Coordinates of all heavy atoms in Angstrom, one line a residue:
M20 N -18.4 -3.8 -2.2 CA -17.2 -3.2 -2.6 C -16.3 -4.2 -3.3 O -15.8 -5.1 -2.7 CB -16.5 -2.6 -1.4 CG -15.2 -2.0 -1.7 SD -14.5 -1.3 -0.1 CE -13.1 -0.5 -0.8
D21 N -16.3 -4.1 -4.6 CA -15.4 -5.1 -5.4 C -14.1 -4.5 -5.9 O -13.3 -5.2 -6.3 CB -16.2 -5.7 -6.5 CG -16.7 -4.7 -7.5 OD1 -16.7 -3.5 -7.2 OD2 -17.0 -5.1 -8.6
K22 N -14.0 -3.2 -5.8 CA -12.8 -2.5 -6.1 C -12.3 -1.7 -5.0 O -13.1 -1.1 -4.2 CB -13.0 -1.6 -7.3 CG -13.2 -2.3 -8.6 CD -13.2 -1.3 -9.7 CE -13.2 -1.9 -11.1 NZ -13.1 -0.9 -12.2
P23 N -11.0 -1.6 -4.8 CA -10.4 -0.8 -3.7 C -10.6 0.7 -4.0 O -10.8 1.1 -5.1 CB -9.0 -1.1 -3.6 CG -8.6 -1.6 -5.0 CD -9.9 -2.3 -5.5
V24 N -10.7 1.5 -3.0 CA -10.7 3.0 -3.1 C -9.4 3.5 -3.5 O -8.4 3.1 -2.9 CB -11.2 3.6 -1.7 CG1 -11.1 5.1 -1.8 CG2 -12.5 3.1 -1.3
R25 N -9.3 4.3 -4.5 CA -8.0 4.9 -4.9 C -7.6 6.0 -3.8 O -8.2 7.0 -3.7 CB -8.2 5.6 -6.3 CG -6.9 6.1 -6.9 CD -7.1 6.6 -8.3 NE -5.9 7.0 -8.9 CZ -5.4 6.4 -9.9 NH1 -5.9 5.4 -10.5 NH2 -4.2 6.9 -10.4
A26 N -6.6 5.7 -3.0 CA -6.3 6.5 -1.9 C -5.4 7.7 -2.3 O -5.4 8.7 -1.7 CB -5.5 5.7 -0.9
S27 N -4.7 7.6 -3.4 CA -3.8 8.6 -3.9 C -3.5 8.4 -5.4 O -3.5 7.3 -5.9 CB -2.5 8.6 -3.1 OG -1.5 9.5 -3.6
D28 N -3.2 9.5 -6.0 CA -2.8 9.5 -7.4 C -1.3 9.3 -7.6 O -0.8 9.3 -8.7 CB -3.3 10.7 -8.2 CG -4.8 10.8 -8.3 OD1 -5.4 9.7 -8.4 OD2 -5.4 11.9 -8.4
T29 N -0.6 9.2 -6.5 CA 0.9 9.0 -6.5 C 1.2 8.0 -5.4 O 0.5 7.8 -4.5 CB 1.6 10.4 -6.3 OG1 1.2 10.9 -5.0 CG2 1.3 11.4 -7.3
P30 N 2.4 7.5 -5.6 CA 2.9 6.5 -4.5 C 3.3 7.2 -3.2 O 3.5 8.5 -3.2 CB 4.1 5.8 -5.1 CG 4.6 6.8 -6.1 CD 3.4 7.6 -6.6
F31 N 3.3 6.5 -2.1 CA 3.8 7.0 -0.8 C 5.2 6.6 -0.7 O 5.6 5.4 -0.6 CB 2.9 6.3 0.3 CG 1.5 6.7 0.2 CD1 0.6 5.9 -0.4 CD2 1.0 7.9 0.9 CE1 -0.8 6.3 -0.4 CE2 -0.3 8.2 0.9 CZ -1.2 7.4 0.2
A32 N 6.1 7.6 -0.6 CA 7.5 7.3 -0.3 C 7.8 7.2 1.2 O 7.5 8.1 1.9 CB 8.4 8.5 -0.9
I33 N 8.2 6.0 1.6 CA 8.3 5.6 3.0 C 9.7 5.1 3.2 O 10.2 4.2 2.5 CB 7.3 4.6 3.4 CG1 5.9 5.0 3.1 CG2 7.5 4.2 4.9 CD1 5.4 6.2 4.0
D34 N 10.4 5.6 4.3 CA 11.7 5.0 4.7 C 11.4 3.8 5.6 O 10.6 3.9 6.6 CB 12.4 6.1 5.6 CG 12.9 7.2 4.7 OD1 13.4 7.0 3.6 OD2 12.8 8.4 5.2
V35 N 11.9 2.6 5.1 CA 11.6 1.4 5.8 C 12.9 0.9 6.5 O 14.0 1.3 6.1 CB 11.1 0.3 4.9 CG1 9.7 0.7 4.4 CG2 12.0 0.0 3.8
E36 N 12.8 0.1 7.5 CA 13.9 -0.5 8.3 C 14.0 -1.9 8.0 O 13.1 -2.7 8.0 CB 13.7 -0.3 9.8 CG 13.7 1.2 10.2 CD 13.5 1.3 11.7 OE1 14.1 0.5 12.5 OE2 12.8 2.2 12.1
Q37 N 15.3 -2.4 7.7 CA 15.6 -3.8 7.5 C 15.0 -4.7 8.6 O 15.2 -4.4 9.8 CB 17.1 -4.0 7.3 CG 17.4 -5.4 7.1 CD 18.9 -5.6 6.9 OE1 19.7 -4.7 7.2 NE2 19.4 -6.8 6.6
G38 N 14.3 -5.7 8.2 CA 13.8 -6.7 9.1 C 12.4 -6.3 9.7 O 11.8 -7.2 10.4
K39 N 11.9 -5.1 9.5 CA 10.6 -4.7 10.0 C 9.5 -5.0 9.0 O 9.7 -4.9 7.8 CB 10.7 -3.2 10.3 CG 9.4 -2.7 11.0 CD 9.6 -1.3 11.4 CE 8.2 -0.8 12.0 NZ 8.2 0.6 12.3
A40 N 8.4 -5.4 9.5 CA 7.2 -5.8 8.7 C 6.3 -4.6 8.7 O 6.1 -3.9 9.7 CB 6.5 -7.0 9.3
Y41 N 5.7 -4.3 7.5 CA 4.8 -3.2 7.3 C 3.5 -3.9 6.7 O 3.6 -4.8 5.9 CB 5.4 -2.2 6.3 CG 6.6 -1.6 6.9 CD1 7.9 -2.2 6.7 CD2 6.6 -0.4 7.6 CE1 9.0 -1.6 7.2 CE2 7.7 0.2 8.1 CZ 8.9 -0.4 7.9 OH 10.1 0.1 8.4
F42 N 2.3 -3.3 7.0 CA 1.1 -3.9 6.5 C 0.4 -2.8 5.6 O -0.2 -1.8 6.2 CB 0.2 -4.4 7.6 CG 0.8 -5.6 8.3 CD1 1.7 -5.4 9.3 CD2 0.5 -6.8 7.8 CE1 2.3 -6.6 9.9 CE2 1.1 -8.0 8.4 CZ 2.0 -7.8 9.4
W43 N 0.5 -3.0 4.3 CA 0.0 -2.1 3.3 C -1.6 -2.2 3.2 O -2.1 -3.3 3.1 CB 0.6 -2.4 2.0 CG 0.1 -1.6 0.8 CD1 0.4 -0.3 0.5 CD2 -0.7 -2.1 -0.2 NE1 -0.2 0.1 -0.7 CE2 -0.9 -1.0 -1.2 CE3 -1.2 -3.3 -0.5 CZ2 -1.6 -1.2 -2.3 CZ3 -2.0 -3.5 -1.7 CH2 -2.1 -2.4 -2.6
C44 N -2.3 -1.1 3.2 CA -3.7 -1.1 3.1 C -4.1 -1.4 1.6 O -3.7 -0.7 0.7 CB -4.2 0.3 3.4 SG -6.0 0.6 2.9
A45 N -4.8 -2.5 1.5 CA -5.2 -2.9 0.1 C -6.6 -2.4 -0.3 O -6.9 -2.3 -1.4 CB -5.2 -4.5 0.0
C46 N -7.4 -2.0 0.7 CA -8.8 -1.6 0.4 C -8.9 -0.1 0.1 O -9.8 0.3 -0.6 CB -9.7 -1.9 1.6 SG -9.5 -0.8 3.1
G47 N -7.9 0.7 0.5 CA -7.9 2.1 0.2 C -8.7 3.0 1.2 O -8.7 4.2 1.1
K48 N -9.3 2.3 2.2 CA -10.2 3.0 3.2 C -9.4 3.5 4.4 O -10.0 4.3 5.2 CB -11.3 2.2 3.6 CG -12.2 1.8 2.4 CD -13.3 0.9 2.8 CE -14.4 1.7 3.5 NZ -15.6 0.9 3.8
S49 N -8.2 3.1 4.6 CA -7.5 3.4 5.8 C -7.2 4.9 6.0 O -6.9 5.6 5.0 CB -6.1 2.7 5.8 OG -5.3 3.1 6.9
Q50 N -7.3 5.4 7.2 CA -7.0 6.8 7.4 C -5.5 7.0 7.7 O -5.0 8.1 7.9 CB -7.8 7.3 8.6 CG -9.3 7.3 8.4 CD -9.7 8.2 7.3 OE1 -9.4 9.4 7.2 NE2 -10.4 7.6 6.3
T51 N -4.7 5.9 7.7 CA -3.3 6.0 8.0 C -2.5 5.5 6.7 O -1.6 4.7 6.9 CB -2.9 5.2 9.2 OG1 -3.3 3.8 9.0 CG2 -3.6 5.7 10.5
Q52 N -2.9 5.9 5.5 CA -2.3 5.5 4.3 C -0.8 5.7 4.3 O -0.4 6.7 4.9 CB -2.9 6.3 3.1 CG -4.3 5.9 2.8 CD -4.5 4.5 2.3 OE1 -3.6 3.9 1.7 NE2 -5.6 3.9 2.6
P53 N 0.0 4.8 3.8 CA -0.4 3.7 3.0 C -0.6 2.4 3.8 O -0.8 1.3 3.3 CB 0.8 3.5 2.0 CG 1.9 3.8 2.9 CD 1.4 5.0 3.7
F54 N -0.7 2.6 5.1 CA -0.8 1.4 6.0 C -2.2 1.1 6.5 O -3.0 2.0 6.6 CB 0.2 1.6 7.2 CG 1.6 1.8 6.7 CD1 2.3 3.0 7.0 CD2 2.3 0.8 5.9 CE1 3.6 3.2 6.5 CE2 3.6 1.0 5.4 CZ 4.2 2.2 5.7
C55 N -2.4 -0.1 6.9 CA -3.7 -0.6 7.3 C -4.0 0.0 8.7 O -3.2 0.0 9.6 CB -3.6 -2.1 7.4 SG -5.1 -2.9 8.0
D56 N -5.3 0.3 8.9 CA -5.8 0.7 10.2 C -7.0 -0.1 10.6 O -7.7 0.2 11.6 CB -6.1 2.2 10.2 CG -7.3 2.6 9.4 OD1 -8.0 1.7 8.7 OD2 -7.7 3.8 9.4
G57 N -7.3 -1.2 9.9 CA -8.4 -2.1 10.2 C -9.7 -1.7 9.4 O -10.7 -2.4 9.6
S58 N -9.7 -0.7 8.6 CA -10.9 -0.3 7.9 C -11.4 -1.3 6.9 O -12.5 -1.3 6.5 CB -10.6 1.0 7.1 OG -10.4 2.1 8.0
H59 N -10.6 -2.3 6.6 CA -10.9 -3.3 5.6 C -11.9 -4.3 6.1 O -12.5 -5.1 5.4 CB -9.7 -4.1 5.2 CG -9.0 -4.9 6.3 ND1 -8.1 -4.3 7.1 CD2 -9.2 -6.1 6.7 CE1 -7.8 -5.2 8.0 NE2 -8.4 -6.3 7.8
K60 N -12.2 -4.3 7.4 CA -13.0 -5.3 8.1 C -14.4 -5.5 7.4 O -15.0 -6.5 7.5 CB -13.1 -5.1 9.6 CG -11.7 -5.3 10.2 CD -11.7 -5.2 11.7 CE -10.3 -5.5 12.1 NZ -9.9 -5.3 13.4
T61 N -14.9 -4.4 6.8 CA -16.2 -4.5 6.1 C -16.1 -4.7 4.6 O -17.0 -4.5 3.9 CB -17.0 -3.3 6.4 OG1 -16.3 -2.1 5.9 CG2 -17.3 -3.1 7.9
T62 N -14.9 -5.1 4.2 CA -14.6 -5.3 2.8 C -14.0 -6.7 2.5 O -13.6 -7.4 3.5 CB -13.6 -4.3 2.2 OG1 -12.3 -4.7 2.7 CG2 -13.9 -2.9 2.7
P63 N -13.9 -7.2 1.3 CA -13.3 -8.4 1.0 C -11.7 -8.3 1.0 O -11.1 -9.3 0.7 CB -13.8 -8.8 -0.4 CG -14.2 -7.5 -1.0 CD -14.6 -6.6 0.1
F64 N -11.2 -7.2 1.2 CA -9.8 -6.9 1.1 C -9.1 -7.2 2.4 O -9.6 -7.1 3.5 CB -9.5 -5.5 0.6 CG -10.0 -5.2 -0.7 CD1 -11.3 -4.6 -0.8 CD2 -9.4 -5.6 -1.9 CE1 -11.8 -4.3 -2.1 CE2 -9.9 -5.3 -3.1 CZ -11.1 -4.7 -3.2
R65 N -7.8 -7.6 2.3 CA -6.9 -7.8 3.5 C -5.6 -7.1 3.3 O -5.2 -7.0 2.1 CB -6.7 -9.3 3.7 CG -7.9 -10.1 4.0 CD -8.6 -9.7 5.3 NE -9.9 -10.2 5.6 CZ -11.0 -9.6 5.4 NH1 -11.0 -8.4 5.0 NH2 -12.2 -10.2 5.6
P66 N -5.0 -6.6 4.3 CA -3.7 -5.9 4.2 C -2.6 -6.9 3.6 O -2.7 -8.1 3.8 CB -3.3 -5.5 5.6 CG -4.1 -6.3 6.5 CD -5.4 -6.7 5.7
V67 N -1.6 -6.3 3.0 CA -0.5 -7.0 2.4 C 0.7 -6.8 3.2 O 1.1 -5.6 3.4 CB -0.3 -6.6 0.9 CG1 0.9 -7.3 0.3 CG2 -1.5 -6.9 0.1
R68 N 1.3 -7.9 3.7 CA 2.5 -7.8 4.5 C 3.7 -7.5 3.6 O 3.9 -8.1 2.6 CB 2.7 -9.1 5.3 CG 4.0 -9.1 6.1 CD 4.2 -10.4 6.7 NE 5.5 -10.5 7.4 CZ 5.6 -10.4 8.7 NH1 4.6 -10.2 9.5 NH2 6.8 -10.5 9.3
Y69 N 4.6 -6.5 4.0 CA 5.8 -6.2 3.3 C 6.9 -6.3 4.4 O 6.8 -5.6 5.4 CB 5.7 -4.8 2.7 CG 7.1 -4.4 2.1 CD1 7.4 -4.8 0.8 CD2 7.9 -3.6 2.8 CE1 8.7 -4.5 0.3 CE2 9.2 -3.2 2.3 CZ 9.5 -3.7 1.0 OH 10.7 -3.3 0.5
E70 N 7.9 -7.1 4.1 CA 9.0 -7.1 5.1 C 10.2 -6.5 4.4 O 10.7 -6.9 3.3 CB 9.4 -8.5 5.5 CG 10.4 -8.6 6.5 CD 10.3 -9.7 7.5 OE1 9.3 -10.4 7.6 OE2 11.3 -9.9 8.3
A71 N 10.8 -5.5 5.0 CA 11.9 -4.8 4.4 C 13.2 -5.6 4.5 O 13.6 -6.1 5.5 CB 12.2 -3.5 5.2
T72 N 13.8 -5.8 3.4 CA 15.1 -6.6 3.3 C 16.3 -5.7 3.5 O 17.4 -6.2 3.7 CB 15.2 -7.3 2.0 OG1 15.1 -6.4 0.9 CG2 14.1 -8.4 1.8
E73 N 16.1 -4.4 3.5 CA 17.2 -3.4 3.7 C 16.6 -2.1 4.2 O 15.4 -1.9 4.0 CB 18.0 -3.2 2.5 CG 17.3 -2.6 1.3 CD 18.1 -2.4 0.1 OE1 19.3 -2.0 0.2 OE2 17.7 -2.7 -1.0
T74 N 17.4 -1.3 4.8 CA 16.9 0.0 5.3 C 17.1 0.9 4.1 O 18.2 1.2 3.6 CB 17.7 0.5 6.5 OG1 17.5 -0.4 7.6 CG2 17.3 1.9 6.9
T75 N 15.9 1.4 3.6 CA 15.9 2.2 2.4 C 14.6 2.9 2.2 O 13.7 2.8 3.1 CB 16.2 1.3 1.1 OG1 16.4 2.2 0.0 CG2 15.1 0.4 0.9
K76 N 14.4 3.7 1.2 CA 13.1 4.3 0.8 C 12.4 3.4 -0.2 O 13.1 3.0 -1.2 CB 13.3 5.7 0.3 CG 12.0 6.4 0.0 CD 12.2 7.8 -0.6 CE 13.0 8.7 0.3 NZ 12.3 9.3 1.4
V77 N 11.2 3.1 0.0 CA 10.4 2.4 -0.9 C 9.1 3.2 -1.3 O 8.8 4.1 -0.5 CB 10.0 0.9 -0.5 CG1 11.2 0.1 -0.2 CG2 9.1 1.0 0.8
Y78 N 8.5 2.8 -2.4 CA 7.3 3.6 -2.8 C 6.1 2.6 -2.8 O 6.0 1.8 -3.7 CB 7.6 4.1 -4.2 CG 8.7 5.2 -4.2 CD1 10.0 4.8 -4.3 CD2 8.4 6.5 -4.0 CE1 11.0 5.7 -4.2 CE2 9.4 7.5 -3.9 CZ 10.7 7.1 -4.0 OH 11.7 8.0 -3.9
F79 N 5.3 2.8 -1.8 CA 4.1 2.0 -1.7 C 3.0 2.5 -2.6 O 2.8 3.8 -2.7 CB 3.6 2.0 -0.2 CG 4.4 1.2 0.7 CD1 5.4 1.8 1.5 CD2 4.2 -0.2 0.8 CE1 6.1 1.0 2.4 CE2 5.0 -0.9 1.7 CZ 5.9 -0.4 2.5
C80 N 2.3 1.7 -3.2 CA 1.2 2.0 -4.2 C 0.1 2.8 -3.5 O -0.3 2.4 -2.4 CB 0.6 0.7 -4.7 SG -0.8 1.0 -5.8
G81 N -0.3 3.9 -4.1 CA -1.4 4.7 -3.6 C -2.7 4.5 -4.3 O -3.8 4.7 -3.8
C82 N -2.6 4.1 -5.6 CA -3.8 3.9 -6.4 C -4.5 2.6 -6.2 O -5.6 2.4 -6.6 CB -3.5 4.1 -7.9 SG -2.6 2.7 -8.7
K83 N -3.8 1.7 -5.5 CA -4.3 0.4 -5.1 C -4.6 -0.5 -6.4 O -5.3 -1.5 -6.3 CB -5.6 0.5 -4.3 CG -5.5 1.4 -3.1 CD -4.4 1.0 -2.2 CE -4.3 1.9 -1.0 NZ -3.2 1.7 -0.1
A84 N -3.9 -0.2 -7.5 CA -4.1 -1.0 -8.7 C -2.7 -1.6 -9.2 O -2.7 -2.2 -10.3 CB -4.7 -0.2 -9.8
S85 N -1.7 -1.5 -8.4 CA -0.4 -2.0 -8.9 C -0.4 -3.5 -9.1 O -1.0 -4.2 -8.4 CB 0.7 -1.6 -7.8 OG 1.9 -2.2 -8.1
G86 N 0.3 -3.9 -10.1 CA 0.5 -5.3 -10.4 C 1.7 -5.9 -9.5 O 2.0 -7.1 -9.6
N87 N 2.3 -5.0 -8.7 CA 3.4 -5.4 -7.9 C 3.2 -5.0 -6.4 O 4.0 -4.6 -5.7 CB 4.7 -4.7 -8.4 CG 5.9 -5.1 -7.7 OD1 6.1 -6.3 -7.4 ND2 6.9 -4.2 -7.5
S88 N 1.9 -5.0 -6.0 CA 1.5 -4.6 -4.7 C 2.3 -5.4 -3.6 O 2.6 -6.5 -3.8 CB 0.0 -4.7 -4.5 OG -0.4 -6.0 -4.6
P89 N 2.7 -4.7 -2.6 CA 2.3 -3.4 -2.2 C 3.1 -2.2 -2.8 O 2.8 -1.1 -2.5 CB 2.5 -3.4 -0.7 CG 3.7 -4.2 -0.5 CD 3.6 -5.3 -1.6
L90 N 4.0 -2.5 -3.6 CA 4.9 -1.4 -4.2 C 4.3 -0.9 -5.5 O 3.6 -1.6 -6.2 CB 6.3 -2.0 -4.4 CG 7.0 -2.5 -3.1 CD1 8.4 -3.1 -3.5 CD2 7.0 -1.5 -2.0
C91 N 4.6 0.4 -5.7 CA 4.2 1.0 -7.0 C 4.8 0.5 -8.2 O 6.0 0.2 -8.2 CB 4.5 2.5 -6.8 SG 4.1 3.5 -8.3
D92 N 4.1 0.3 -9.3 CA 4.7 -0.1 -10.5 C 4.3 0.9 -11.7 O 4.5 0.6 -12.8 CB 4.2 -1.5 -10.9 CG 2.7 -1.6 -11.3 OD1 2.0 -0.6 -11.2 OD2 2.2 -2.7 -11.6
G93 N 3.8 2.0 -11.3 CA 3.5 3.1 -12.3 C 2.1 3.0 -12.8 O 1.7 3.8 -13.7
T94 N 1.3 2.1 -12.3 CA -0.1 1.9 -12.8 C -0.9 3.2 -12.7 O -1.8 3.5 -13.5 CB -0.8 0.8 -12.1 OG1 -0.1 -0.4 -12.4 CG2 -2.2 0.6 -12.6
H95 N -0.6 4.0 -11.7 CA -1.3 5.3 -11.4 C -1.2 6.2 -12.6 O -2.1 7.1 -12.7 CB -0.9 5.9 -10.1 CG 0.6 6.4 -10.1 ND1 1.6 5.5 -9.9 CD2 1.1 7.6 -10.5 CE1 2.7 6.2 -10.0 NE2 2.5 7.4 -10.3
K96 N -0.3 6.1 -13.4 CA -0.1 7.0 -14.6 C -1.0 6.6 -15.8 O -1.2 7.4 -16.7 CB 1.4 6.9 -15.1 CG 2.4 7.4 -14.0 CD 3.8 7.3 -14.5 CE 4.8 7.7 -13.5 NZ 6.2 7.4 -13.9
K97 N -1.6 5.4 -15.7 CA -2.5 5.0 -16.8 C -3.9 5.6 -16.6 O -4.3 5.7 -15.4 CB -2.5 3.5 -16.8 CG -1.2 2.8 -17.1 CD -1.3 1.3 -17.1 CE 0.1 0.7 -17.3 NZ 0.1 -0.7 -17.0
P98 N -4.6 5.9 -17.7 CA -6.0 6.4 -17.5 C -6.8 5.4 -16.8 O -6.7 4.2 -17.0 CB -6.4 6.6 -18.9 CG -5.2 6.5 -19.8 CD -4.2 5.8 -19.0
A99 N -7.7 5.9 -15.9 CA -8.6 5.0 -15.1 C -9.7 4.3 -16.0 O -10.0 4.6 -17.0 CB -9.3 5.8 -14.0

């Protein structure tokens, strides 16, 4: 597996809490998208830590191709 699985064609809108750490699934295999559930263990991918600097809504990448991971940068809108 050299490419992550595309988990979604849109980002995941998540309310985050200031000071809390979140672990974004980078492999796309997690059953608890957009967060890691350990499914990456058989892949070369590792989860990406995101620490919320404020309590707000953020958009985690679902296509797993963002240049700004773990956050969405609109890459999902480009043809595959």
Side-chain angles (χ1 to χ4, degrees):
M20 176 178 186
D21 61 342
K22 286 186 171 185
V24 174
R25 187 178 183 111
S27 175
D28 291 331
T29 58
F31 295 92
I33 304 290
D34 291 317
V35 297
E36 293 179 40
Q37 180 179 7
K39 186 174 177 186
Y41 299 84
F42 293 87
W43 175 75
C44 168
C46 71
K48 297 176 83 175
S49 174
Q50 296 299 306
T51 59
Q52 290 294 330
F54 303 116
C55 177
D56 69 359
S58 295
H59 66 274
K60 291 183 178 168
T61 60
T62 76
F64 299 96
R65 297 295 170 258
V67 175
R68 180 186 172 99
Y69 173 82
E70 185 147 350
T72 57
E73 63 181 318
T74 298
T75 190
K76 184 181 299 282
V77 297
Y78 295 85
F79 286 98
C80 175
C82 73
K83 308 303 177 185
S85 174
N87 188 35
S88 60
L90 303 179
C91 176
D92 69 356
T94 299
H95 64 276
K96 295 177 186 175
K97 298 176 184 172

